[in-house]
Amino acid sequence: MNTPDSIDPYKYTSGMTRRESLKWLGVLAAGSAVSLNSGCSKVISDSVTSAGHWPDIDIKPVTARGYGTDPNLIMPPESPWPLTLSETQLSLVAVLADFIVPREGQNPSASQVQVPSVIDEWVSAPYDGQQKDRVTILHALAWIDDEATLRYKNPFLKLSKVQQIAIMDNIAYFNEQTPAQFQRIGKAFLRFKNLVLGAYFCTPEGCKDIGYLGNVPIAGDYPGPTIEAKAHLDGVLAELGLSEYAYAD
């Protein structure tokens, strides 16, 4: 999706049913999206500075009941909790998600495979991990609108694409060189980015994009992982300090 250079704000419309979004919620949770970037790159420690502005918003906790233990999220029953993102928040999530995963050739963007609906399901679920993410992501969305208003006198959705990119360039690459005033939002946006990527690559389109075949029959002997795959695994294990647990050939 290309964000138009106009003041008419983009509006996201979900094409996903609750049954579908709940199924992807289960897949995303099982895929451990919380650590999507671990082993790939190191980011600065938890002790980020409090420099710069930060929104003071009242985030109401989700009090609905969950599914209990051992739920069937492949064919889930009717959801016991409501979705909580507003139309504006959901549209903002869609625009931000498409900056992270834009449409490229035949590969759809994040919003085209309904990633914002999965994010809405995630931050609306009444579980501890999701509720922690709810606070992080709602603060991040509020910060982005605050920053847009401070810089350009309009909320993010009403900015031109050039103005939106200017803000994204300050927060989308969280590392040791991130300026102090963008560290807090940079870390929050990193969490949002991990969830978007986790949700996207759980979809059939995302799996196809990275060449993941899933469970398919192989004729003859199993060839095993490639040399490149083994080298990548060795690197990840070494970075995590787990090399001693690696399998030996």
Side-chain angles (χ1 to χ4, degrees):
M1 180 203 69
N2 291 322
T3 305
D5 289 322
S6 72
I7 61 172
D8 294 328
Y10 165 79
K11 292 184 179 180
Y12 171 79
T13 301
S14 176
M16 182 177 281
T17 66
R18 286 302 301 279
R19 186 175 293 275
E20 290 172 327
S21 63
L22 284 164
K23 180 178 75 172
W24 289 119
L25 169 70
V27 173
L28 184 59
S32 197
V34 293
S35 57
L36 193 68
N37 270 9
S38 64
C40 297
S41 63
K42 291 183 178 179
V43 297
I44 62 179
S45 68
D46 290 341
S47 57
V48 297
T49 73
S50 57
H53 66 89
W54 192 249
D56 183 15
I57 56 176
D58 181 21
I59 299 177
K60 298 293 191 297
V62 171
T63 58
R65 63 184 179 87
Y67 278 116
T69 59
D70 198 23
N72 179 6
L73 291 180
I74 301 301
M75 294 295 291
E78 183 179 350
S79 174
W81 63 77
L83 296 175
T84 58
L85 291 185
S86 69
E87 180 181 275
T88 299
Q89 288 172 326
L90 198 55
S91 295
L92 180 54
V93 166
V95 170
L96 297 173
D98 282 358
F99 274 111
I100 297 167
V101 187
R103 180 178 179 85
E104 292 184 346
Q106 297 301 310
N107 297 324
S109 70
S111 69
Q112 288 176 315
V113 294
Q114 311 302 319
V115 165
S117 298
V118 180
I119 300 299
D120 193 7
E121 195 74 65
W122 183 271
V123 301
S124 302
Y127 306 113
D128 290 344
Q130 281 79 2
Q131 285 305 289
K132 181 178 179 181
D133 284 337
R134 172 182 173 81
V135 172
T136 298
I137 289 171
L138 290 187
H139 272 102
L141 297 180
W143 185 96
I144 288 169
D145 262 345
D146 285 352
E147 183 71 8
T149 302
L150 287 170
R151 291 195 198 186
Y152 305 114
K153 312 303 181 185
N154 270 310
F156 191 84
L157 291 176
K158 288 191 175 184
L159 301 186
S160 70
K161 189 171 184 179
V162 170
Q163 292 170 330
Q164 291 176 341
I165 290 173
I167 294 175
M168 288 294 96
D169 283 345
N170 289 138
I171 69 174
Y173 309 103
F174 180 61
N175 54 41
E176 290 85 350
Q177 285 73 49
T178 299
Q181 69 267 33
F182 299 123
Q183 285 187 12
R184 197 170 183 181
I185 180 59
K187 184 178 179 182
F189 192 77
L190 177 63
R191 179 59 188 149
F192 174 78
K193 181 165 61 175
N194 285 350
L195 287 171
V196 167
L197 291 172
Y200 183 82
F201 289 114
C202 282
T203 67
E205 294 86 354
C207 289
K208 181 179 178 181
D209 186 16
I210 59 175
Y212 177 67
L213 299 179
N215 294 323
V216 295
I218 298 176
D221 294 334
Y222 174 61
T226 64
I227 294 175
E228 293 78 11
K230 290 180 180 178
H232 173 71
L233 177 60
D234 287 342
V236 171
L237 291 173
E239 188 172 352
L240 296 175
L242 300 174
S243 295
E244 64 180 296
Y245 301 107
Y247 285 104
D249 289 333

